[in-house]
Amino acid sequence: MKKSSRISSLCIVFILLSSCSLKYTETVHSEDKVPEFVFEDTKLVRYENTEPTLEVTAGTLEQYKNSNETYGKNIAFTAYDKKGQVETEGSCGILFADSGKKLYELYDDIELYNAPEKVRFQASALKWNGRSEQLTSGRSDMVKIEKDDTIMRGSGFSASGISKSFSFRGNITGTIETSDDKVAAGGEESGEAQPQKEDAQ
C-alpha cells in the first residue's frame, strides 16, 4: 500500500512558536518561575511575499526568560502551500519545542491532516526531530492513519519527511474497504487484515 505525506511542513509550526513556552511540569530556577510573557487565546500568522503560509491559534502561550523551549496549550494550525491552498491542518492539547535542538513534541488528542495526500493521523503523542526529519511515536503509543478506504492502527510509528514513507515496529491492525464490500453492504462492511509488521511507502 502506497502512502506519503508532507510531514516536513509540520516543522514550520514549531519554528513559528519557538519564542514562547508554557512550563507545566518542569522544575525551574527561581528567576524562571514567572513567565516573561503570557499570551491567552492568541492567533499567529506567518507571511511570505504578502501571502499567509501558516496560521496558528493557541489557548495559552508563555515565554520564560533565558529559555529556548516552547510550551503551548490547545494548539491548532493550518499550513498553506505556495499557491495559497491548504496543505496541512492539525491540532493538539500540548506542544513542547526545543528550537536549539530542533526537537518538537505533541501531546493529547493529536489530529493531523495532509490535504494533498488526503492522509489523516490521530495519536496521543508524537515527536518531530527537525535534524533527521523523523516523526515518531513511543514504542507502545498507538497511531491511527486514514487514507481513502484504508484505516491502519499500530504502535512504534515512524515516518520520514525525506523519503515520505512510514512504518510500524509494533503490531498493527487495519481495514481495507473494497468495491465488492460497498456493493454488498452499502459501504458498511470491509475486509480486515492483522499483519504483525508493515512498512508502507
Side-chain angles (χ1 to χ4, degrees):
M1 179 176 54
K2 185 175 182 180
K3 284 182 179 290
S4 63
S5 62
R6 299 172 188 177
I7 298 169
S8 57
S9 64
L10 298 176
C11 189
I12 301 174
V13 178
F14 308 128
I15 292 173
L16 180 64
L17 294 173
S18 63
S19 62
C20 308
S21 59
L22 187 71
K23 299 199 172 184
Y24 291 106
T25 59
E26 289 188 5
T27 301
V28 296
H29 299 293
S30 58
E31 65 270 19
D32 293 333
K33 288 183 179 179
V34 178
E36 191 171 12
F37 298 102
V38 178
F39 303 93
E40 300 285 349
D41 298 322
T42 187
K43 180 177 181 179
L44 307 174
V45 182
R46 178 179 180 177
Y47 290 88
E48 291 182 8
N49 299 323
T50 72
E51 295 296 329
T53 58
L54 179 70
E55 295 181 358
V56 178
T57 60
T60 305
L61 291 174
E62 296 178 1
Q63 172 65 59
Y64 288 81
K65 190 176 181 180
N66 302 322
S67 175
N68 290 325
E69 297 177 348
T70 296
Y71 295 77
K73 185 176 181 181
N74 297 330
I75 303 293
F77 71 90
T78 302
Y80 301 92
D81 61 20
K82 293 181 179 180
K83 297 181 180 180
Q85 301 298 312
V86 174
E87 185 172 59
T88 305
E89 296 177 295
S91 62
C92 65
I94 294 176
L95 168 71
F96 163 78
D98 186 328
S99 59
K101 297 179 180 179
K102 295 186 178 180
L103 297 175
Y104 310 93
E105 301 178 9
L106 297 85
Y107 298 97
D108 298 343
D109 300 322
I110 301 167
E111 295 269 356
L112 300 175
Y113 178 70
N114 181 263
E117 304 297 336
K118 297 181 180 179
V119 179
R120 186 178 304 277
F121 296 85
Q122 294 179 332
S124 59
L126 289 173
K127 296 181 181 180
W128 168 260
N129 186 320
R131 292 177 177 172
S132 62
E133 295 192 32
Q134 291 288 318
L135 182 68
T136 60
S137 71
R139 180 172 296 181
S140 60
D141 293 328
M142 297 297 296
V143 175
K144 178 181 178 182
I145 301 175
E146 298 180 52
K147 180 176 173 62
D148 300 326
D149 296 326
T150 301
I151 300 175
M152 299 180 66
R153 297 177 181 85
S155 59
F157 172 79
S158 177
S160 171
I162 298 174
S163 65
K164 305 296 188 290
S165 64
F166 70 83
S167 65
F168 291 96
R169 292 187 179 275
N171 293 337
I172 65 172
T173 61
T175 60
I176 301 175
E177 185 176 90
T178 66
S179 58
D180 291 340
D181 293 327
K182 292 180 181 179
V183 173
E188 294 182 358
E189 293 185 2
S190 60
E192 183 170 344
Q194 294 185 331
Q196 294 299 306
K197 183 182 293 185
E198 180 163 322
D199 195 352
Q201 298 184 7

